[in-house]
Amino acid sequence: MKTSTFFSIALALIGSKVNAFNLADVQRTTSGSIVPGRYIVEFDSNAHLSSSGMKRDESISTPHEAIYKQLKERDTSYTVHQEYSDGLFIGASITLNSDNDLANLLSTEGVIDFRQVHLLSLPETVFPQTAQWPAAANLPDSTTYSSTSSSAVNSNSTTTTTSAKVTTTTTCKGFSVLGQIGAESVQASGNKGKGVKIGIIDGGVDYTREPLGGCYGKPECKFIGGYDFVGDSYNGTNSPIPDNDPFDNCYTHGTITAGLIGANSNGNKYNVVGVAPEASLLQYRVFGCNGATTDDIVLQAMQRAYNDGVDIINLSVGESSGWTESMLSVFASRLTASGVVLSISAGNRGQVGSFYSYSPGSGIGAINVGANDNAFFPAQQASVSTGHAPITYFNYQGFTPGTYPLYAFNTDPSVAADGCTIPAGTPNLKGYVVLVRRGGCALEDKAKNIYYQGGRQMLLINTQGSVPLYQNFPLDFGFVSYEDGNYLLSQIGNNHTSTNNTTLTFTFNPYQAPNVWTGNITSYFSEIGPTNDLFMAPSIVAPGTNLISIVPSTFGNWSMEIGTSFSTPLVSGASALYIASKGGSQSTSPDKVKSALQISADYLTTSKSDQTLANVAVQGSGKLNVAEALNQDRLIVSPSEILLNDSNYFASTQYLTLTNPTNKIVKYTLSNLPAGTLLSYQSGLNQSSDQPVPQVSNGANVKFSQSSVTLLPRSTWVVLLQFQQPQGLDSKRFPVYSGFIQITGGSTNVQVPYLGVAAKMKDMPILDGTSYYLGFNSPTILNENNSIQSSSGQSYNFQNGQYPTVIYRLVGGTPLLLIDLIDSNLTTTNLGFTPNYNSKRDLIGDEDVSFLEERKLNSIIDSNNDKFWKSSKTQSLISLYCQLTNFKGINCSGFNQGKSSTFGKVPILGNLYEQDFIPRSTDNIDGAGEDHLTFALKSNKFSNGTIIPNGTYKFLLRTLHITGDRSKQSDYESWVSAPFTIST
């Protein structure tokens, strides 16, 4: 996915304070990205072979017809949007008018699973100069300099300096990152992915760009096919207008992704050739011009790509999840099991801490791709007439070619506010390179002031040791280092212009300025795992910052990008190189592709100053190295990742299968390389830790059945590993420990990542019962004025916005959240348990803050409970159906007769809201929201559509613990609200 802010700007946010929560900003609606009333429903493939358990109806020939007939017989109002009809997924995307219609759907014979449809959005990918600054009139005259200097730098050589000393460096290779992932040497060997088909599910593509082949739909074209599922005008809520041509020149994301995978060298001025330029590409457009879609459309595109026979699917889209259970994740798992490699972006919200993976990248078997920082900053170089070494300025685009004198408002190093205002007597700055220092006011203010004064070239002098910034202004702009800037200022005379005729000459001269700050460190924005069900996320990382790629000509042909959206196509291209090296997808499989990329990856350190290995939840198996993945002599190891689970289900015994692929006898040695252990939750608080998540050195110990193995040619051996969890850790901080099993020997080393949690995931707190973030105890009820309702109650008539809204936060993910209505007179005795959160409870300072309270339960155990409602329906579907019918639906009666679980004994009056597999809330450190959740009771109706009688009630909110049993009330955290009255 694409980040919404520039790399260096976002770096400055790390460590900043979280903005104070403002109650007035709360939207009094039910939160989430759910499309109201719309569901992806899975059908039993044999649903048409029977009709509600009766004899087969010969007039029905498909599962769809069987389901639709039953819905019509029950007078269900529904609209079908998409249908899915292959062996991987049979079903439909359906909108229902009411929850009563939903109850009908869920009880229909042949419906086996469903998920609510979510709206998926991507931020803008390019920062176009949409706001043009008009030049001010009546400026003083100026002299324009535009001659070619004899001291101009040769475009085939580069130099760099921080002083007057000239230092020659290597020949510039443009801005390609192929060398950083091993693809450069693979391509040099002749492997460029020929014969491999890659499906790109994204925005459309401007295939008319020369590096993308210039044509579509013909055998000789790079883009041999695809489909537009939405059309230009689609915004995620209106009706899509599909067609057969995925051309797109109004949204850049898909073109950028395609360029990173497969751009040719023709017309490629920055030498950013794709990883697999000879692969055949198919583009599936699921975003209109504004970058929004729904997951049922993405599912349709995934299914079509599979039917079109692609070998790889690149998917740079997702949403907050934390689970492997979303419909797209489940379908991604099925695709990989069916032979398709899936490379999916990990997400861009690493700032909010761990246990925040994205869907569908969390699909089992998919390659979940995170990002590491580029080893260089794209820059250009200008020559100096004094003979000083070329000046590096940070902008991937070169300044307008020519030779220009210098101008500065102030040369005093202690004055940072130069350019914040234009001093009286300043001339027209046209034709000058204007020098200003960083600081004192907004950067845009300085740029505007210079622009309004006629200036069209601006160099900003960076503060010492700071990361440079990139900006798009309607003038030539670039950062220069503190040292180079001071040298240029030393050439300024008393009249604010350069002395001795000092000039800068600009030519097109790309330069890879070394990233000495964060190069080859995991990117601050890259999503941090693991999933809540403790699968590894990310799987691997690849460069995801400062990437130069192609955009439609309407956006200026080229752009610089940042995000896991753009590390992902590098992995897709690498997968194509691997498949091509094996002779095609028939000779390998997705698990072998993923395994080869993982065990050959280069592990990364925590930072430039901290050489501790970065946690596997941050870096996955490490940085992509496709050259090593293709090494024919590399040891073959299975599995390629070791999942140790949590303390409750600790999988301490593991096995590694080693295969020597060579014709030589090789001795291999095994060792444990522990990585830093993440402390995912803050000390003394049930609140997650932000990035950088604190790390400690406590690591796992590993005992090997044998520490070395000598293998005969092409032989296999199994080694037993016995893991011991780290000691001395506070389980209330939910430590995520990890590391690598390194195996040395032969021509190359391999490493297998492992990961576990030194705590019980069932103990992870869910409801935030504190005032730590919101500033008031929660959950609670907000009234029509966005004020906290009185604890003594309030009356709501549902007129003119008079309705109650529940506001709450989740400090941990939950597989099931329910809000029900109960009688206001219920006590803990007749409720059947003691709610462990209420509006008067504040846990700040409580030493047992992250422990769960013991519940007082009515122990009603049903030994036959496992026989309840035997069918192919999923547990979540059954649970929702019984909630919607207030446990009075077919086969739900046992809940009210003491024959079911303790959960079913709770005397609710009816269900109001249900949601599955919800991620935890954030503290909005990245400004992307999702820091709280709300439920708005906007009408006096239960979720099944029946009327709530006038009376006084309370809300009952319940959240199921990770690994909890849905049928046991003791496995839920619960909150009972203050009373409120419905009076209509």
Side-chain angles (χ1 to χ4, degrees), residues 525-761:
F525 57 80
S526 186
E527 212 77 7
I528 301 175
T531 67
N532 289 322
D533 32 11
L534 299 190
F535 286 89
M536 189 176 293
S539 310
I540 198 168
V541 297
T545 65
N546 307 331
L547 297 174
I548 308 303
S549 188
I550 301 164
V551 295
S553 55
T554 51
F555 288 87
N557 296 320
W558 303 94
S559 181
M560 189 175 80
E561 301 300 331
I562 169 178
T564 58
S565 277
F566 309 119
S567 52
T568 300
L570 303 183
V571 173
S572 294
S575 299
L577 298 182
Y578 182 85
I579 291 173
S581 75
K582 299 299 180 182
S585 59
Q586 300 303 313
S587 302
T588 188
S589 61
D591 62 319
K592 290 180 180 178
V593 174
K594 181 178 180 180
S595 175
L597 297 182
Q598 283 190 296
I599 66 174
S600 61
D602 300 321
Y603 49 72
L604 303 178
T605 59
T606 300
S607 68
K608 291 291 188 180
S609 59
D610 181 356
Q611 293 300 296
T612 303
L613 294 183
N615 192 282
V616 168
V618 177
Q619 69 165 315
S621 53
K623 187 183 73 170
L624 174 67
N625 187 338
V626 66
E628 283 300 322
L630 270 59
N631 188 327
Q632 298 295 320
D633 294 333
R634 176 184 46 78
L635 175 70
I636 300 171
V637 184
S638 178
S640 60
E641 57 185 40
I642 297 173
L643 305 176
L644 299 174
N645 219 311
D646 68 350
S647 297
N648 209 30
Y649 300 96
F650 181 40
S652 59
T653 302
Q654 299 285 335
Y655 301 87
L656 285 180
T657 301
L658 314 181
T659 300
N660 175 9
T662 73
N663 293 318
K664 301 177 182 178
I665 298 174
V666 181
K667 180 180 179 180
Y668 298 101
T669 301
L670 294 87
S671 59
N672 174 33
L673 296 178
T677 293
L678 297 180
L679 302 180
S680 299
Y681 279 70
Q682 298 180 48
S683 178
L685 295 170
N686 57 346
Q687 306 285 335
S688 57
S689 299
D690 289 328
Q691 173 80 305
V693 180
Q695 277 195 174
V696 293
S697 60
N698 310 49
N701 290 320
V702 185
K703 293 182 179 179
F704 301 92
S705 59
Q706 51 193 115
S707 59
S708 65
V709 179
T710 300
L711 293 182
L712 296 173
R714 303 192 181 282
S715 64
T716 297
W717 193 258
V718 177
V719 177
L720 171 67
L721 287 69
Q722 194 69 39
F723 283 83
Q724 183 182 54
Q725 290 186 323
Q727 303 299 306
L729 294 171
D730 181 358
S731 64
K732 291 181 288 185
R733 301 195 70 177
F734 292 90
V736 179
Y737 63 93
S738 67
F740 297 86
I741 302 301
Q742 186 176 61
I743 308 171
T744 60
S747 63
T748 183
N749 299 337
V750 302
Q751 47 272 336
V752 178
Y754 64 83
L755 180 146
V757 174
K760 297 178 182 179
M761 291 299 291

Side-chain angles (χ1 to χ4, degrees), residues 961-972:
H961 276 285
I962 297 170
T963 75
D965 184 337
R966 290 174 182 243
S967 67
K968 294 182 180 179
Q969 176 57 41
S970 58
D971 283 356
Y972 291 79

